[in-house]
Amino acid sequence: MRKCKLGLAGLILILLLAGCGNPAQETASSAKDEASEEAQREKEEDEEDAGVETTSWRESVQKMFEDPYGDYSETGGEIAFLADGSVEDGGYNEAIYNGVRMYALGAGVSFSYYHADPNERESYREAIQRAVEENAGLIVCAGEIFGEAVGALQETYPQTSFLLVDAVPYDAEGEEVSIAENVHCILFHEEQAGYLAGYMAVWEGYRNLGFIGGSFVDYDLADSAEGYRTMEPPVLRYGYGYLQGINAAAKDLSLNDVTVNYWYADSFTADISVREKADSWYENGTQVIFACGGGLYESVLEAAENQDGLMIGVDVDQCRVSDRILTSAVKNIGPAVTDTLDEYYAAGGWSEEDAGQVRRYGVEEGCAAIPVIDTEWRFQQIPTTHFFEIYKQMKRGDRTVTDAIDAPPEVAVFVNFE
């Protein structure tokens, strides 16, 4: 196996690919960087006009994903990534997959990916069982339903290691269970990213905002035909942080006319009910909707395009998808996964600090923000320097955001929970 620890340059490129950049950089240097980037763009344009071939930074990053040694394998990789959908979805799954393959390609570890059917709960366990049968040493999976699958199988396969992202193990009744020594969990402070998105939207001048979050409906756990709604903690944290950010901006600006529509859809995919809800909100004056939950953003985006509205993306920078996306509340999933894999292999397995433990990533680790670098800054009233100042206040602890999800936060702005 090629022993090659990823360098700082590699991690920076992952960071850029994830869409967040490094918002903790100093304000003064940001202005210098922007001027440098503008000069570079002008140089590239001049070279193109002169017929000189140029290679963009994104093309350079993509070269890092080339696989000259054949580390990717359709089955039987040492690292197995389990996804409940496409691994190239342009969002959540792809961010994790990029973290996995960046480490694997750099360190010379074989890797594979497997699919679980999001409509079949049992398929999550089956995906784990298949990866184990095909000799996966470390299984990477993400989300609440994988949390149930790992909770059921962690002790069945003690020789297999698990990296569980955005969840902890729990049982069939939804109760958390002890984390086995072969499992490590990483969670994020999504509330911090949601706070920044909400704060900046109000500071930009928007007064009528919305939040649409995804939820699962599990009929197996239901006492009635209506089903049991499962709320994923990351969605709750994004939404509650969003409300706190909106409230903080309204307070800082001495506003008393800010309103928020708030609703959970029974879906994480594009759905007619989501589009109709977003349509009605836009028609009645909502200016910006934070769409938080997998593919349901497609329905919100369709409504935004039809109604001349705006939306906020989630998890990764979605600004390239449409000019209707004002910004995104992002968490740097890829770098967190890459760092964790690096630590795992350096220690020859989960260390005492990681085995059976949970680690949280947020502003402190540069893993919760809104996109600033390599993106289109669409705020007209807010310079990036103001964002950096708010970000630094959060990092210093001068601005606090609660991560409690047992109930919505108490805010002074009017929130219409539907």
Side-chain angles (χ1 to χ4, degrees), residues 61-125:
V61 171
Q62 287 304 118
K63 287 184 178 297
M64 298 184 70
F65 288 134
E66 292 179 357
D67 186 13
Y69 296 97
D71 293 318
Y72 168 72
S73 176
E74 288 192 9
T75 60
E78 164 68 17
I79 303 175
F81 172 46
L82 277 50
D84 58 350
S86 172
V87 297
E88 296 182 343
D89 60 356
Y92 184 75
N93 285 338
E94 187 168 338
I96 299 174
Y97 182 54
N98 283 343
V100 169
R101 63 177 178 164
M102 181 67 78
Y103 176 79
L105 292 171
V109 180
S110 62
F111 65 102
S112 304
Y113 62 82
Y114 299 80
H115 294 286
D117 185 346
N119 298 313
E120 297 292 338
R121 197 178 191 91
E122 188 60 32
S123 74
Y124 290 77
R125 295 193 192 190

Side-chain angles (χ1 to χ4, degrees), residues 277-397:
K277 177 67 70 174
D279 265 329
S280 67
W281 284 2
Y282 285 128
E283 287 177 355
N284 287 287
T286 298
Q287 298 162 297
V288 183
I289 297 176
F290 182 9
C292 182
L296 69 75
Y297 84 89
E298 296 176 8
S299 296
V300 177
L301 180 56
E302 183 180 355
E305 291 172 340
N306 291 339
Q307 302 292 339
D308 197 26
L310 295 172
M311 63 165 282
I312 294 171
V314 73
D315 287 335
V316 299
D317 182 10
Q318 295 183 310
C319 284
R320 295 181 182 86
V321 175
S322 170
D323 59 8
R324 291 291 169 187
I325 298 179
L326 175 65
T327 188
S328 300
V330 301
K331 52 188 183 184
N332 276 333
I333 312 169
V337 169
T338 301
D339 286 349
T340 304
L341 293 177
D342 192 28
E343 293 175 4
Y344 173 85
Y345 280 97
W350 295 128
S351 66
E352 291 184 4
E353 294 180 348
D354 289 339
Q357 299 299 314
V358 177
R359 184 178 297 185
R360 295 284 294 274
Y361 292 81
V363 163
E364 188 70 24
E365 297 76 21
C367 283
I370 60 174
V372 179
I373 297 175
D374 184 50
T375 192
E376 183 178 347
W377 185 257
R378 291 177 177 160
F379 295 102
Q380 301 299 312
Q381 307 302 318
I382 311 172
T384 56
T385 52
H386 182 60
F387 163 76
F388 288 133
E389 179 57 35
I390 300 301
Y391 189 91
K392 288 190 292 183
Q393 289 174 12
M394 293 178 66
K395 193 167 185 178
R396 291 195 303 262

